Structures are given as C-alpha cells and as structure tokens.
Amino acid sequence: MTYDSPAEDVRPSLTLFVATAGPRAARRARTPLAITTLIAAMMFSGSAAILKAAPRQSNRPVVSTAASENKQTPNPSAQRSAPPIAPRSATADPSTAATYRAVVNQYCVVCHNEQLHTAGLVLSKLDLTNVPEGAEVWEKVIGKLRTGAMPPAGMPRPDKATYDGFATYLETALDSASIVNPNPGRVSIHRLNRAEYKNAIHDLLATDIDVESLLPVDDSGYGFDNIADVLSVSPMLLVRYMSAAGKVSRSAIGDPNVLPNLETYDVPYLLTQDERMSEDLPFGSRGGLAVRHNFPLDGEYLIKIRLQRAGIEHDRQIIGLSEPHQLDVRVDGERIKVFTVGGEQPGNGESAAGSKKKFGYDYRSSDDADAHLEVRFPAKAGTRLVGVNFLNDTWEREGVLDSPLAEFRLLDKSSEGRSDSPGTKEDPPAVSQVLISGPYNAKGLGETPSRRKIFVCRPANSADELPCASKILSTLARNAYRRPVTVGDLQPLLNLYKVGRKDSDFEAGIGMALQRILVSPEFLFRIEHDPVNTTAGAAYRISDLELASRLSFFLWSSIPDNQLLNLATAGKLRDPAVLEQQVRRMLADSRSNALVSNFFGQWLYLRNMPGVHPDQDAFPEFDENLRAAFEQETQLFLESNVREDRSVLDLLNADYTFVNERLARFYGIPNVYGSHFRRVSLDGHEERRGLLGQGSILTVTSYANRTSPTIRGKWLLTNVLGTPPPPPPPDVPSLKETPPNGKILTMRERMEQHRSNAACAVCHAQMDPLGFALENFNGVGEWRTVSEAGSAVDASGVLPNGVKFNGPAELRKVLLGHPEQFADTVTDRLLTYALGRGVEYYDQPAIRKVTRDAASSNYRWSSLILGIVNSVPFQMRMSKPQEPTTVRTAQSQNPVARESKP
C-alpha cells in the first residue's frame, strides 16, 4: 500500500488507535470490546463478526453532549426496546376453506401436483383451513391471482367472483395471522454505502468529498446498493476507509502544509455548446461549464482554459477562431477576467504571404491559440462556484446550415486540419477543459463552513483546551454515532486528542480524534442491538434512536439531524403525531432529493443513463445535450411528484413534464425557447404522458442500435406490475439481426422468429406484448410511425389474460385499470429500499396494509411513505433466533448439533 504523502499514511494513526483506546470495560460493562478486536473482526471475519463484537448502547450520557446543552435528559425508552410481542393464533372457517379447496383442485392441481411439480409448486396437499401454515406458497399464489397470470391463457378459469374471492380469502387469512403473530424480519449489520457516506460527511462536517475517488463501487442486491447483506467488508475496504478518514479530516479542518494541486474539469466532447449550459452560469452566456471547486486555503490560485479542437483524435486546430469571442471567467458570480479569443489581434504583424494573421496565429499552427487563457487570482478557502463561459454574441452564417450535432461539427470536417474547414473557422469556439491549480502563496486556513461546524468553541488559554476539546468531540461523536455519547465513547477520543496536541497544536489534536470518529464502527455501520433478556426469535419494537436512523437513511440517505436526534433521545419520536410531523418535515427538506437520486435512480434504472451510448449512425439526433436533457427532465418530474405530494399513479399518467428548447424540439412541443427547463402541459401529446413517454426510460431500455421490446417489457413487468420474469435459460440464442435472405424485418417479425424456440416462448409471451406497445418510440425515445423495415409500426399487444391494447396510450389505460397493483409495486420497492433488505413473503401483509390505507388518498406519496414508516417491518425487528449448541458424546468425538430448549 502506497500513500500520496506522509500525511495520508494511516498506519501511525492505526497504532495510536490501538494504543490509546484503552480498556472498554468501563464503557460497555456487559460486552467489553477493544478497538483491536473490532478491527480484527472487520478485516478477517466480515460483517457478522462485527455484529457480535459491536458494543451495546449504554445509558450513561456524557454531561457535555448536545442533548444536555438542550436541557434534555435521555429517555431510557429511547435506547431500550419494548418487550417482545407474544404470538397468538388465527383460525379459518372450515366451510369456506372446503369451497376453495374444491376450486384449487379443479383449476390448479391439474398442473401443481406431486407428479408434475410445475414451477416447483405443489398445491394438492396444502391445508386451506390453516393458510398461515403455508404462507410462503400462498403468497406466491396471491401474486399470480392478483396479476391474472394463472391459470394460464387457454386453460379453464373460475368466474370472476370466485377468482377474486379466493385471492381475498387468502389475503384475509394471512393478514389476520400477521396481526396476531407479526414477523418483522431481521436486518443484519448495515455498512454505509458510498452515497450514504458522502451525505453523512456533508451533514456532519459541512464539507463535500469526491467519494468516487475515495471508496470503491458498492455491490447491489434486490435492485439497490443499500442492501445490508451485500455491503460486505474486506481488508482492502477497511484500508480505504482509514485513508479516506485522513483526507476528509484534513479537508474539513484544513492543512497548512498542503502542496499545490491540479484539478481538471472536462466538458464532454460531443456536448454542443451553443446555449446557456447551466443554471449556475449567467444569463446571456453560451457554452462552458460551472463547477464547485474546493479551495483548501486562503491564497492564490490559477485557472487555465483549453478550447475544443477538431479531428478524430481531438488534436487538430482549435474550432471557431475566425471571429472574435469573449470568454468570461467568474468565481462565486464575480468576474475575475474576460479574454478575447479569435478575430484579428492588433500588433501581430504580417504573415509570410503578406496577409494579416487571424487571432495572432496561423490556421495551420493554431494548437497554442489558447495558451494565454489563464488567470491567477486570490481566493478564500472553501467550496466556491467557478464559471467559465462565452458571452453570447448570437450570429448565423450564410449558406446551407450544417447539422448542429457535435459529432458532425468536430469529426467529419476537420480530420485533415485544413485551414478552410468550415468545421473550424465558422463554428463558434467551445471550452474543452478547465484546470484549477493551487494554492500558491498560502495565507492561512481561513474560515470555512466546515471549520465553523467543527469548532463550536475556541479555547482562550491552555486551561480551556481540554474542556473545549471535550465539547467539540462529544458534539461530533453524538452526530456521527447517531446517539448520546458516553464517557467510554469520549475518553478514547480525548486520548487521541492529547497525542495530536502534544505533537502539534489544538487543531491537530482535534483532527486526530476526528479521524478516529470517522473510522469507528459506530459511524460506518448501522448496528441494531436486541434488548437484554429478549426471547430468541421474538418480535420487538426498535428503540427511538434506531427508528431515527432508519428514518433518516430512508428519506435522506444520511445521518439524523439534531431535531430528530433530540426527539429520539427524549423518547418522543415513536409518538404517531410526532413521527408524522417529522416525516413531512424531512420530505420538505432539500436532503430528500437523495430519495429521488438513490431510490428512483436505481428502481427505474435511471443510473444507467450516463452509460448508454446510442449508435450515431442509427440515431444521429442523439447527442450529449439530449442525454443531459433526458436526465434533467426525469429528475425534475420525480422531484415534483414527491414534493407536491401527488399520487404515485401520476408516474404513469401525469399530464405535464419539464423540457428545455432542445428537448421540446425533440418531442415536437412548440413554443419552448432557451436552455432553461420549465414545466409544460402535455395536451395534444398523449404519447408523452408519464414515465413511459420520457426519453430517459425509453433509452435505457433499448439497445445501442435498435429498440428492444423484451427489455422494455421486462422493465414494465418488474417495475410497474411487480411480476419480474424468471431469468432466461442457458444457451438461449440471440436475436438474428439480418435473415439469410437479407430482407429487413420489423422488430415484431424478428421477435416472432425468436419465439419459435419453445425455450424462449414462455417468458417472451409475457414480456413482448408490453414492449411492443412502446414500438412507436425508437431506441432513443423519438416518436415514429414507420418502422426500420419501412412499414407502419404495429404497437398492438395482448396480455396473457386476453386484454388487448394498441400503443402507449392504451397500455397506460390497462395499467391504470388496476391502480392497486402499481401501488403495491411501488410500496414493495420503497420497503426494500427503506429496510435495506429484500422483501420476503412475511412482509406482504404489511405491503397490502400500506396500499389499502393509501387508497383513500389516491395513493399519495405521503400516504405510502407514512404507511411504510409506521409498518411492522420498519418499526419492529425479530430478535436473534436460538443457536444450536454443539456437544460431544462419550461414544464419539464428532460434534453433534442439538437445539437448546428455552
């Protein structure tokens, strides 16, 4: 392991952690734990060992914590859970059970019997008088019944009343049993993922970090990257966390010894810079970019700009220097320099041919035409907005206009670098890179938001240093650990502070203790402890503090704020009225944008949008501007849905969207001008209503060179209907791109050939009809009426239950014909994300309750979210089941597992 500088080497700090942590018996009387034990558990035994080694929460708060400053006394109920709920039994009416047994025997057992064992399901022996006994199987049956998937098309079915009545009978039996005998499941130890770590650092220290450079990508499970079971810990990851703690600590407090550093910000090469590029750039600007850059110290910094070049290798002459253009550089909105690039520059003399040079350089040697575009300026420490853009001197050249797409403008016209290339002389210049270096001539650490957040007090003299350090560290630890801190928590931090203070100064001591906080398992992991003397395998209510953490990581992907922690510490958070008020407050907070970016981004596959690369030959209309517009449209649309507390059904049927001029032109929406996104009505554009008409969804569910009814159909089955198809069997042949006779076929014709394979037909019969309904949208979401084969697009489809539809508008009506099904799917996905574990069969009663309760409000977001927060799986937890004991018999030395009796 190598380090960029001696200051980043965490090995001395690791040694200090071990040497100064001291005995933990005073901190955890019941389960003593040294930091060495925990580090060993993290490095060699994985997450399960951490859970065993992690300390239980103590009720002895430090007098100087933030809670005591607010004159609050920690309520024991905030940290001790309620007694477990005793199980009871549920019974069913034998006559009703006999009726439905006859229905099952007539319509289901013909396939699902002990001989055929179709789909691994046997219904012939299940007892309908005791439905909860076979809950796992009956929940699968309910899923098939509620989606109309069984019996399959062509097989006899009972009448609708009997069909629906049987599903209701099963649901009622299972839901009643779940009330008297709840099973909330058990979430294992939960490591913070990258997004949560980044947000937690921001809320804890008021500093932004480049988490991608600090930590590796997280694994995903059940569709999300916050699933506890897959967030494993490896020795290398632990080292990365140790290194990150040092970098974060120095960034937040400031490092007077930091050396000048260079950061490069690239503009995507195929991004057309013909309009205002960001809301952070001034009106009247064109092209460029705006970035938030961290200036580590008060001092001088250098900004250098490189302009875009033409040619296949991007190494030819600079574009657009035949006319003068003004390049504006600003920091926090204040102009620091205006450059003139292009045009005739006075005093540059004559060329060898006797004609005056343009812009001071010959066209054939314009590689260094941007060499003078740099400015040195003083800046205060902190994160500041740097903007670089051209002033918008709009003009239009004469003659036939070329395509505005950057692909044509940059690649095709100037591969030879000719001086008369219209792709370089006539097109306006564009920014390629902005490079920021520094600090030079550093003046000091400055007063940054992070330093104000950390240093809540300043010692006036040496006698004040230790009390002030105690106050600072107890405040930081309380927020980082998400609970009141104890003397046992604080003492190791003060020990480290003293070591750092001895070698340097007060702030260095705080920095060393802060690193210890940032690598503590209490910060990096969400650990929920079973109450003392709880019966094994029993359901119990989690503590208020654990509820606060669940809530904040659900809605904010971050740590609880002071208001939430104070309520939890006082034992008031579990009060229904208080809890609802907090949920609504948190949804109104800007931090709830994390719910859009993390939950929706993964559920709807929107995170895949930056990685799609449509074929430029197949879709020449697609460029980086359109990609950015697709992402922004869906982001704004989802934010408006949640913030306005609209119905979740609006995701499918909203009559509005958000567009700028580029996207409106692509959608065919008139009278929209400029780069600013604004809300527009979709009257007259029925095909664009809801998510099914948005370019982002349609692009991520297509291949690079064509549409994919299968991918789109699978997306609908999984994310809208909640009935994901099984994985494809091995050795499935791929779709033939071109038949032997060379005739171009429509996508429907090619899929029909593919479905002739019996192994493929079963799943494709479910997916393809849904996907075909969206065939009017091409691979990047552009509306079309003619297919790639030159014939009219056929967007008709038939569901397995016989329902027919044609096109996206009719498909939407079919989906909205059963609103509870989509609401169930949304609730299922939200609950998975909120709990950080996969939804199991025993969670289905809770999902049905949330959906039923939300129906009266037409499934508003607040109703679903509040329903989840108040649900059994969210507010309760199953205690650890009884572990079998291992004994040795006198006859044999082989270990024999025997279950202990309570």
Side-chain angles (χ1 to χ4, degrees):
M1 181 70 184
T2 59
Y3 299 87
D4 296 337
S5 70
E8 295 181 14
D9 191 340
V10 300
R11 289 169 293 182
S13 297
L14 182 59
T15 304
L16 288 172
F17 292 164
V18 177
T20 61
R24 304 290 288 272
R27 176 184 171 189
R28 304 288 185 241
R30 297 182 185 273
T31 53
L33 174 72
I35 190 66
T36 49
T37 305
L38 195 49
I39 291 175
M42 293 173 71
M43 296 185 67
F44 303 114
S45 304
S47 299
I50 299 172
L51 185 58
K52 293 180 180 179
R56 293 185 179 276
Q57 296 174 10
S58 168
N59 291 330
R60 284 205 303 144
V62 175
V63 175
S64 59
T65 62
S68 63
E69 290 175 7
N70 291 324
K71 301 188 184 303
Q72 292 184 349
T73 302
N75 189 322
S77 68
Q79 301 176 64
R80 287 201 308 269
S81 300
I85 297 176
R88 295 188 297 249
S89 61
T91 59
D93 179 15
S95 61
T96 306
T99 300
Y100 288 121
R101 167 45 64 188
V103 172
V104 171
N105 291 342
Q106 180 178 355
Y107 296 102
C108 306
V109 173
V110 63
C111 294
H112 300 290
N113 54 58
E114 291 177 310
Q115 288 74 36
L116 296 180
H117 213 265
T118 304
L121 201 63
V122 178
L123 302 180
S124 55
K125 300 296 184 181
L126 287 180
D127 185 3
L128 275 165
T129 63
N130 188 4
V131 173
E133 186 179 47
E136 186 169 4
V137 174
W138 290 125
E139 287 292 357
K140 294 179 182 178
V141 172
I142 291 171
K144 296 297 184 182
L145 293 175
R146 287 308 189 191
T147 57
M150 288 293 159
M155 296 294 289
R157 287 190 174 208
D159 60 82
K160 180 173 174 55
T162 303
Y163 191 94
D164 293 341
F166 180 43
T168 301
Y169 170 78
L170 294 175
E171 289 177 347
T172 302
L174 294 171
D175 294 350
S176 299
S178 71
I179 294 174
V180 299
N181 189 17
N183 183 354
R186 181 177 175 86
V187 181
S188 61
I189 187 170
H190 195 144
R191 175 175 63 80
L192 304 191
N193 64 18
R194 286 205 308 185
E196 293 167 340
Y197 183 85
K198 178 181 180 179
N199 293 338
I201 291 295
H202 179 272
D203 292 344
L204 179 67
L205 302 175
T207 187
D208 293 313
I209 60 172
D210 179 15
V211 71
E212 288 80 8
S213 67
L214 296 176
L215 300 174
V217 176
D218 298 301
D219 292 329
S220 295
Y222 302 96
F224 298 103
D225 63 4
N226 69 336
I227 303 300
D229 286 343
V230 300
L231 290 171
S232 57
V233 181
S234 67
M236 183 55 66
L237 181 60
L238 177 60
V239 173
R240 295 284 290 272
Y241 273 125
M242 299 287 287
S243 177
K247 292 180 179 179
V248 170
S249 176
R250 289 190 296 275
S251 174
I253 293 179
D255 182 1
N257 300 316
V258 67
L259 298 176
N261 184 44
L262 175 66
E263 291 284 347
T264 301
Y265 300 94
D266 295 307
V267 180
Y269 183 58
L270 298 182
L271 185 72
T272 304
Q273 300 181 42
D274 57 0
E275 57 188 1
R276 181 174 176 233
M277 305 305 294
S278 168
E279 296 296 320
D280 291 324
L281 294 175
F283 289 104
S285 66
R286 177 191 65 78
L289 82 166
V291 297
R292 298 193 180 277
H293 179 79
N294 180 50
F295 295 87
L297 300 174
D298 289 353
E300 295 181 356
Y301 295 85
L302 181 70
I303 293 180
K304 181 175 177 61
I305 301 113
R306 283 179 57 83
L307 301 180
Q308 213 167 64
R309 287 157 167 77
I312 300 282
E313 301 296 331
H314 313 175
D315 59 352
R316 302 290 183 176
Q317 63 201 58
I318 295 173
I319 296 168
L321 298 182
S322 61
E323 299 291 335
H325 299 270
Q326 304 296 307
L327 184 64
D328 189 21
V329 182
R330 296 172 181 257
V331 175
D332 282 346
E334 182 180 348
R335 177 176 289 169
I336 61 173
K337 185 73 174 180
V338 176
F339 297 99
T340 298
V341 296
E344 293 184 358
Q345 299 295 326
N348 287 323
E350 299 290 323
S351 68
S355 61
K356 187 173 287 187
K357 293 181 180 180
K358 295 280 186 178
F359 55 84
Y361 303 92
D362 182 72
Y363 283 117
R364 292 178 174 80
S365 60
S366 62
D367 293 348
D368 57 352
D370 55 4
H372 69 292
L373 301 181
E374 61 179 50
V375 56
R376 188 158 172 161
F377 63 98
K380 294 290 186 180
T383 300
R384 310 201 173 278
L385 179 66
V386 177
V388 177
N389 59 266
F390 289 95
L391 302 183
N392 194 4
D393 46 354
T394 305
W395 59 277
E396 203 68 79
R397 66 174 181 266
E398 296 181 357
V400 178
L401 294 181
D402 296 302
S403 168
L405 300 180
E407 182 78 10
F408 291 96
R409 186 166 62 90
L410 301 180
L411 301 184
D412 296 338
K413 296 186 176 182
S414 56
S415 60
E416 298 301 323
R418 296 187 299 272
S419 63
D420 59 348
S421 167
T424 56
K425 286 174 59 179
E426 303 297 343
D427 289 320
V431 175
S432 174
Q433 289 180 328
V434 173
L435 302 94
I436 306 177
S437 60
Y440 306 102
N441 300 325
K443 308 297 184 184
L445 298 176
E447 190 62 23
T448 62
S450 58
R451 288 175 58 80
R452 288 193 294 271
K453 182 91 170 181
I454 293 170
F455 295 106
V456 294
C457 63
R458 293 283 184 177
N461 50 55
S462 59
D464 292 339
E465 288 189 358
L466 190 60
C468 181
S470 178
K471 181 177 181 179
I472 291 172
L473 296 177
S474 62
T475 301
L476 288 173
R478 176 181 186 264
N479 293 329
Y481 300 166
R482 307 174 289 276
R483 60 171 174 78
V485 294
T486 66
V487 174
D489 293 316
L490 186 59
Q491 194 56 53
L493 302 178
L494 290 176
N495 290 343
L496 280 172
Y497 157 76
K498 293 173 183 177
V499 172
R501 175 66 181 89
K502 180 180 179 181
D503 294 339
S504 184
D505 57 14
F506 177 80
E507 293 191 359
I510 296 295
M512 180 165 286
L514 176 58
Q515 290 187 54
R516 170 63 178 83
I517 291 174
L518 297 180
V519 297
S520 170
E522 300 279 353
F523 172 65
L524 294 177
F525 297 89
R526 292 161 55 192
I527 304 172
E528 296 177 345
H529 296 279
D530 293 344
V532 178
N533 299 325
T534 300
T535 305
Y540 68 90
R541 294 191 181 277
I542 61 175
S543 70
D544 278 45
L545 289 168
E546 291 166 343
L547 179 61
S549 282
R550 285 195 179 190
L551 188 59
S552 65
F553 281 99
F554 172 29
L555 300 181
W556 288 348
S557 294
S558 186
I559 57 178
D561 62 1
N562 275 328
Q563 184 173 342
L564 198 61
L565 268 182
N566 290 341
L567 289 170
T569 303
K572 298 179 180 179
L573 186 58
R574 69 179 61 197
D575 179 87
V578 173
L579 186 59
E580 178 176 350
Q581 186 272 333
Q582 287 301 303
V583 169
R584 295 187 182 278
R585 176 184 71 88
M586 294 173 73
L587 286 174
D589 193 285
S590 61
R591 282 171 284 189
S592 66
N593 288 340
L595 189 66
V596 174
S597 58
N598 294 329
F599 169 69
F600 287 105
Q602 295 178 84
W603 171 40
L604 303 175
Y605 306 168
L606 300 174
R607 281 190 180 181
N608 298 347
M609 193 63 210
V612 299
H613 300 285
D615 189 309
Q616 286 292 323
D617 293 330
F619 307 111
E621 65 277 14
F622 185 88
D623 58 11
E624 290 298 321
N625 303 70
L626 196 59
R627 182 200 304 275
F630 282 169
E631 294 183 79
Q632 183 74 350
E633 175 197 20
T634 306
Q635 176 84 9
L636 293 172
F637 175 74
L638 295 171
E639 285 181 7
S640 75
N641 259 263
V642 176
R643 291 204 179 282
E644 296 169 19
D645 196 17
R646 303 177 71 91
S647 167
V648 299
L649 303 179
D650 281 1
L651 293 182
L652 300 178
N653 198 39
D655 59 355
Y656 71 94
T657 190
F658 294 83
V659 296
N660 62 359
E661 181 178 358
R662 175 73 177 91
L663 187 57
R665 187 168 65 245
F666 183 78
Y667 284 172
I669 300 175
N671 303 320
V672 176
Y673 304 101
S675 61
H676 174 70
F677 275 80
R678 76 291 315 263
R679 185 171 180 154
V680 297
S681 170
L682 291 174
D683 290 342
H685 298 274
E686 182 77 12
E687 73 280 359
R688 294 293 177 185
R689 293 171 73 108
L691 289 171
L692 301 187
Q694 295 190 3
S696 58
I697 301 296
L698 296 163
T699 301
V700 298
T701 55
S702 297
Y703 286 117
N705 60 347
R706 62 171 175 85
T707 63
S708 175
T710 301
I711 295 178
R712 288 177 175 177
K714 180 182 177 183
W715 185 93
L716 286 163
L717 281 175
T718 303
N719 298 312
V720 177
L721 298 176
T723 56
D731 303 324
V732 173
S734 59
L735 190 66
K736 295 180 180 179
E737 295 295 330
T738 306
N741 59 12
K743 178 185 176 182
I744 299 178
L745 301 179
T746 66
M747 183 55 60
R748 183 179 290 270
E749 292 170 336
R750 294 158 71 185
M751 292 303 302
E752 287 174 353
Q753 289 184 350
H754 186 69
R755 286 200 304 273
S756 63
N757 185 323
C760 306
V762 176
C763 293
H764 282 278
Q766 303 175 49
M767 298 183 289
D768 293 354
L770 298 171
F772 281 134
L774 302 178
E775 270 297 284
N776 282 113
F777 297 108
N778 71 7
V780 293
E782 185 176 31
W783 183 259
R784 61 179 181 172
T785 56
V786 179
S787 71
E788 60 273 13
S791 58
V793 171
D794 182 0
S796 61
V798 182
L799 293 178
N801 60 6
V803 176
K804 297 181 180 180
F805 50 86
N806 191 342
E810 292 187 11
L811 172 63
R812 195 178 298 112
K813 291 178 181 178
V814 170
L815 298 175
L816 291 172
H818 299 278
E820 72 286 344
Q821 187 172 351
F822 181 54
D824 270 343
T825 302
V826 176
T827 304
D828 178 285
R829 297 283 77 203
L830 268 175
L831 186 62
T832 301
Y833 178 80
L835 296 177
R837 66 166 174 84
V839 167
E840 303 292 345
Y841 70 92
Y842 46 76
D843 296 310
Q844 295 304 318
I847 292 174
R848 286 191 288 270
K849 183 180 188 306
V850 171
T851 305
R852 283 195 299 265
D853 292 347
S856 60
S857 68
N858 197 28
Y859 309 107
R860 290 187 180 274
W861 281 107
S862 61
S863 298
L864 290 182
I865 291 173
L866 281 167
I868 287 173
V869 169
N870 286 298
S871 69
V872 166
F874 195 85
Q875 292 213 4
M876 298 178 68
R877 185 171 184 257
M878 191 69 75
S879 63
K880 187 177 181 180
Q882 181 72 46
E883 291 184 353
T885 58
T886 301
V887 299
R888 293 181 181 273
T889 65
Q891 293 79 11
S892 171
Q893 295 303 308
N894 295 320
V896 178
R898 293 182 179 175
E899 186 171 320
S900 299
K901 301 299 182 182

